[in-house]
Amino acid sequence: MDRINVKRKQLRETLSGDRGGGFCVAHVMTAEPTHVSPDSSVLELVELFHTKQFRHVLVVDHAGRLVGVVSDRDVLRCFGYREAPDRSELAGIVVSELMSKDLLTVGPETPVEQAVALMMDEGISALPVLNGPELVGILTNTDLHVVLQVLLQSALAESSLVSSREGISSPHS
């Protein structure tokens, strides 16, 4: 099962169960995110983006501490107005030269609506998730798009169920 379908299943289970403390980042985030070291080459990063179909990768140091985030847009800066760099040029650029270091993070218990507001207010599309100093996940726009899709499907299904109970014909029937 691909990661988007896994996320959909996880969200449906979360929405159908008792959430107790509400809907938090832990219910939505991608746990155990892929990461690279600051010394990784941009060539390795580009290959990772293509292989995993990611748009963001977290950067951790040798001690496992979060030190940055790099996006596919950061990599685009390597291409500029001239001809595209060749593989040897990309192999000579390290992630630490491109990554964002001024990081905003959230905890796994942060309410989703608070994380969404932070992402919108700051114009960012990914938030690392830390439990104390430990990196436990990443919340991205893609995660939030899946949430929206599952919520809409759930609302439409509920609307159809209510309509059929009340004998009202639904445009989806």
Side-chain angles (χ1 to χ4, degrees):
M1 187 180 289
D2 69 41
R3 65 188 173 90
I4 298 296
N5 284 326
V6 168
K7 175 92 42 203
R8 285 182 186 119
K9 183 177 187 271
Q10 170 189 337
L11 285 166
R12 285 185 188 107
E13 289 170 0
T14 297
L15 291 170
S16 67
D18 178 22
R19 294 188 304 277
F23 200 44
C24 64
V25 168
H27 295 122
V28 180
M29 71 182 191
T30 299
E32 301 176 18
T34 299
H35 54 81
V36 297
S37 80
D39 300 326
S40 298
S41 75
V42 171
L43 180 60
E44 293 169 308
L45 185 64
V46 167
E47 290 169 352
L48 182 64
F49 280 146
H50 284 290
T51 303
K52 300 277 192 168
Q53 297 183 339
F54 290 157
R55 293 185 357 203
H56 304 88
V57 175
L58 300 174
V59 184
V60 299
D61 66 12
H62 66 284
R65 290 182 305 247
L66 178 68
V67 295
V69 174
V70 65
S71 73
D72 55 356
R73 288 179 290 184
D74 295 324
V75 173
L76 283 176
R77 291 186 292 174
C78 295
F79 293 85
Y81 295 107
R82 59 186 174 83
E83 290 182 31
D86 63 23
R87 292 178 67 83
S88 63
E89 284 179 279
L90 291 175
I93 303 169
V94 293
V95 169
S96 62
E97 295 177 47
L98 302 179
M99 70 184 189
S100 297
K101 298 173 189 165
D102 54 337
L103 303 177
L104 298 172
T105 64
V106 293
E109 299 307 317
T110 303
V112 170
E113 59 272 17
Q114 184 180 344
V116 169
L118 179 62
M119 291 170 75
M120 291 177 63
D121 290 348
E122 297 297 327
I124 57 177
S125 54
L127 275 172
V129 183
L130 300 177
N131 190 7
E134 180 187 2
L135 176 63
V136 294
I138 185 169
L139 179 68
T140 68
N141 280 350
T142 300
D143 295 322
L144 298 174
H145 289 150
V146 174
V147 169
L148 178 60
Q149 179 188 38
V150 169
L151 288 172
L152 287 171
Q153 288 170 341
S154 176
L156 287 172
E158 181 64 25
S159 173
S160 294
L161 182 62
V162 168
S163 295
S164 67
R165 283 185 191 154
E166 296 175 353
I168 301 170
S169 105
S170 167
H172 304 292
S173 16

